[in-house]
Amino acid sequence: MTYTGNVSRGSAPAVRELHGLTVTKVSVGPRDNNAYLLRCASDGTQLLIDAANDAQTLLDLIGDGGLATVVTTHSHWDHHGALAEVVNATGARSIAGADDAAEIPVVTDTVRDGDTIAVGDCTLEVIHVVGHTPGSIVLLYREPDGIAHLFTGDSLFPGGVGATRGDKQKFASLIDDVEHKLFDRLPDDTWFYPGHGNDSTLGAERPHLGEWRARGW
């Protein structure tokens, strides 16, 4: 089945086979948060991005393969509602951006811009994107001889950057970071997986950067 990334709460997960990683996307909780289970193809190591809600759904997704790591993209409650229960059940290491960690339960390690997180023999690069929250992080995976993939939390969606609650300074920080750290660095075929809703590519969104900046959200 062709991967589309379209999921809703209660629907079957969407599964995408990459070179080196399998990505399984599921929607959980009353805000239809996306959670992503990454599995290393070579050794089966698993990492979960955003234990947002519905702990049992996430634990069923993890299955018998165990969970090495949970990464929380930012401190908003709807992205870590099931974190404590998942960590308690699996013993997973819990990682978050250093500037958001104080507001996230069960953080065992923090990361900053340019750090890396292992998923078996695969590597995720941490990109610190400031504005939606002070410590929001985006995770970059580069397929060997393939395209780049971004797990953007609530910092980038199809149609715009994440909410900054009308704060012009926070918006300016976020749009600058998204443009310079993501769009300026990575090509159009880069696929991104947001914290809610459907996926997109940088190429599909790039023509609208000026519109986003002009409208201020």
Side-chain angles (χ1 to χ4, degrees), residues 20-210:
L21 281 179
T22 299
V23 178
T24 302
K25 176 181 181 179
V26 65
S27 175
V28 294
R31 293 194 174 185
D32 284 324
N33 287 75
N34 295 328
Y36 299 93
L37 184 68
L38 310 186
R39 184 178 185 273
C40 175
S42 65
D43 68 2
T45 298
Q46 295 191 127
L47 176 147
L48 181 68
I49 299 173
D50 284 348
N53 206 298
D54 297 354
Q56 192 57 55
T57 296
L58 298 177
L59 292 171
D60 290 344
L61 194 69
I62 293 161
D64 297 331
L67 186 68
T69 310
V70 184
V71 180
T72 304
T73 58
H74 64 287
S75 60
H76 289 164
W77 65 269
D78 59 314
H79 289 261
H80 55 73
L83 179 60
E85 190 170 346
V86 168
V87 168
N88 287 339
T90 62
R93 174 188 181 204
S94 176
I95 299 177
D99 294 332
D100 271 13
E103 298 180 35
I104 298 171
V106 203
V107 172
T108 52
D109 291 290
T110 61
V111 288
R112 296 185 181 275
D113 195 61
D115 288 344
T116 58
I117 301 170
V119 191
D121 63 5
C122 300
T123 301
L124 306 176
E125 179 188 335
V126 176
I127 302 172
H128 184 200
V129 178
V130 182
H132 185 66
T133 66
S136 289
I137 57 174
V138 171
L139 301 175
L140 167 63
Y141 175 65
R142 294 182 181 271
E143 287 187 84
D145 303 317
I147 67 172
H149 301 263
L150 293 168
F151 299 88
T152 58
D154 283 1
S155 291
L156 176 64
F157 296 97
V161 296
T164 52
R165 302 184 183 277
D167 186 311
K168 292 182 179 180
Q169 185 174 354
K170 290 180 179 178
F171 172 76
S173 174
L174 182 56
I175 193 72
D176 283 348
D177 275 1
V178 164
E179 182 167 359
H180 299 316
K181 292 186 175 183
L182 305 183
F183 284 90
D184 286 355
R185 179 181 173 193
L186 296 163
D188 282 352
D189 61 0
T190 302
W191 192 281
F192 71 86
Y193 309 77
H196 305 265
N198 296 336
D199 306 350
S200 187
T201 64
L202 294 189
E205 308 303 322
R206 192 183 303 275
H208 306 291
L209 280 168

